[in-house]
Amino acid sequence: MYDVIIIGGGPGGYNAAIRAGQLGLSVAVIEGAQHLGGTCLNVGCMPAKSLLHASELYEMARTEFASFGIAVEPRLDLARMMAQKTEAVAKLVKGVEFLFRKNKVEWVRGWGRLDGESRVRVTGSTGEISVIEGRNIVLATGSRPSTLPGVCVDHRNIVTSTEALSFTQVPDRLIVIGAGVVGLEMGSIWCRLGSEVTVLEYADTILPGTDREIARTLERSLRKQGLNIRLGVRVASATPSDGAAVVTIEADSGVEAEKLMADKVLVAVGRRAFTDGLGLEVVGIVPDARGAIPHDGHYRTSAPGVWVIGDVTHGAMLAHKAEEEAIECIEIIAGKVSVSDDSDIPVVVYTRPELAAIGASEEELTAAGIDFRVGRFQFMANSRARINHETDGLVKMLVDTASDRILGIHMVGPQVGEMIAEARMALTFAATAEDVARTIHPHPTRSEALRQAAMDSAGWAMQA
Ligand code: NAD
């Protein structure tokens, strides 16, 4: 009988396992895929970041190196670019295996299914079945890409992000359905590598839910790079046709019905909790209307001894959210008082420039009737960004008027994904804007833009 059985070896599951091992619990992870790491390592964050980085270097070599006095004529070797991605991912997967050994975590290879109280049935790759028992079972089975009615994903011409991370040729024309995180990151990669990319988004903004000013700033930068972004269009259907695909746009107020052809269509309209074959009904767990497994606020499901973390439960579908929940859930199981805090989850979009945000948006504060001040600082006025020719974007800080507490920080700019942890730290310690304005930030760094935005919220930005 294990102390903890974890179903799923992604960022939720493997972090839970490592923490359980650290705390001296006996722990097994059931994972049926060939490699540990889940979507994030194998077909999500990590391969995407690898291609984002490589394609960014290619694009810079093509369009920007000359302005730094470097004359080159780059040639794309897509096979090599994909191979270095695969090699990098393989090393990360090995890293998780190493951490399992270090923390005495057992990897049970196969697909797990709840089989009654404390019991999990595991089906291996050749169909062999075993049953293992655990005092606690943590569900960390993640999510799968969603699709739309009328859109027929054939995984060849109409694909999900999984296939779009491994195209063997640059598609001449790529249509992306959805201007969410996946759509913009994958659209950026293939646009840089030479595709004519059209992004179709139903909402009237990219990244719905993001602070509007920040979303618009990123949208302008992406358009300048050549992404054809069409807002307010609803895709009615997408069907494969003769080695290509046809996308139909529905007629709507001000939008005419239209048919578009592309070599590839990427469906990036969100993800849904993955619970297929998990046997939830055996222990009486009922998913919510979105298919996610509910919990009591402390990761306990309705079934005794069964816990849930990550994409398969409610909340943002982000690896760092799953990691935070993993730590907290295991510490509760181990009887510790957990001090984790997943109240404000930072979001990063790894385009160029990057977008990073935490806390409330301007629209949310206005709707809630909160009296707030806004501090802004443009990267155009940041010396490091100017030196590096990366001046698109700004830092925007939203501050409670009465208390000066920071309510939200929203950024578009060069590598702001590396700056958002500072913003999270400020929120964790309930910082005021003045706390940040009076914190030394090294010069010349892009992080000074955050300090200047804090100063600006009180009317004393010094460098603008
Ligand atoms: P998303 O929910 O972020 O975006 C989906 C978009 O599709 C929305 O903008 C939506 O309005 C649009 N849409 C829906 N139906 C449509 C239709 N019929 N026609 C046109 N547009 C339509 O989903 P995603 O981008 O697929 O990402 C899935 C999940 O993975 C998200 O939770 C995301 O946060 C996560 N993810 C995160 C990162 C990161 O942190 N950098 C990277 C990739 C994915």
Side-chain angles (χ1 to χ4, degrees), residues 298-377:
H298 300 283
Y299 314 109
R300 285 182 194 85
T301 68
S302 59
V306 182
W307 308 71
V308 66
I309 56 172
D311 284 12
V312 74
T313 186
H314 49 69
M317 290 188 173
L318 296 169
H320 45 274
K321 176 254 193 190
E323 176 180 347
E324 195 59 21
E325 293 183 346
I327 296 169
E328 191 172 3
C329 175
I330 293 297
E331 291 186 349
I332 295 170
I333 288 173
K336 292 173 80 74
V337 177
S338 181
V339 290
S340 288
D341 174 8
D342 67 357
S343 53
D344 281 304
I345 312 280
V347 173
V348 180
V349 186
Y350 297 88
T351 45
R352 184 167 185 249
E354 290 181 346
L355 181 150
I358 188 158
S361 66
E362 186 168 345
E363 292 71 34
E364 284 167 344
L365 294 178
T366 305
I370 292 169
D371 191 11
F372 64 97
R373 289 180 280 118
V374 184
R376 289 186 183 82
F377 192 78

Side-chain angles (χ1 to χ4, degrees), residues 148 178 180-182 185 200-202 208 235 268 270-271 317-318 348 350:
L148 295 168
V181 193
V182 170
E185 291 184 355
L200 305 176
E201 168 59 51
Y202 176 63
V235 169
R271 300 179 64 89
M317 290 188 173
L318 296 169
V348 180
Y350 297 88

Side-chain angles (χ1 to χ4, degrees), residues 44-45 48-49 52 143 145-146 148-149 151 161 176-185 200-203 205-208 230 233-236 267-272 311 315-320 346-350:
C45 326
K49 259 84 270 173
L52 280 158
S143 59
S146 319
L148 295 168
V151 172
S161 51
V176 177
I177 308 177
V181 193
V182 170
L184 297 180
E185 291 184 355
L200 305 176
E201 168 59 51
Y202 176 63
T205 171
I206 64 166
L207 301 167
R230 295 182 55 181
V233 289
R234 188 201 290 268
V235 169
V267 185
V269 294
R271 300 179 64 89
R272 61 180 172 80
D311 284 12
M317 290 188 173
L318 296 169
H320 45 274
V347 173
V348 180
V349 186
Y350 297 88

Side-chain angles (χ1 to χ4, degrees), residues 178-250:
V181 193
V182 170
L184 297 180
E185 291 184 355
M186 299 305 304
S188 292
I189 290 169
W190 291 106
C191 178
R192 293 168 192 163
L193 298 182
S195 296
E196 184 191 312
V197 178
T198 302
V199 183
L200 305 176
E201 168 59 51
Y202 176 63
D204 62 354
T205 171
I206 64 166
L207 301 167
T210 306
D211 184 277
R212 282 283 177 136
E213 178 184 5
I214 290 298
R216 264 199 305 270
T217 306
L218 178 62
E219 184 192 326
R220 272 196 301 274
S221 292
L222 296 177
R223 284 187 194 277
K224 265 197 294 186
Q225 290 163 35
L227 279 179
N228 175 20
I229 299 172
R230 295 182 55 181
L231 302 174
V233 289
R234 188 201 290 268
V235 169
S237 70
T239 40
S241 158
D242 254 351
V246 185
V247 174
T248 312
I249 294 175
E250 208 171 273

Side-chain angles (χ1 to χ4, degrees), residues 5-75:
I5 294 173
I6 298 161
I7 308 185
Y14 73 69
N15 280 299
I18 291 166
R19 189 74 188 114
Q22 285 178 337
L23 294 175
L25 302 172
S26 60
V27 54
V29 170
I30 304 174
E31 171 57 66
Q34 208 183 340
H35 302 294
L36 292 171
T39 297
C40 174
L41 254 70
N42 295 288
V43 286
C45 326
M46 303 321 302
K49 259 84 270 173
S50 172
L51 293 184
L52 280 158
H53 181 61
S55 62
E56 185 173 317
L57 293 177
Y58 175 65
E59 173 75 353
M60 285 177 74
R62 233 171 40 80
T63 63
E64 293 175 44
F65 276 16
S67 69
F68 290 98
I70 307 167
V72 288
E73 280 182 34
R75 187 183 60 81

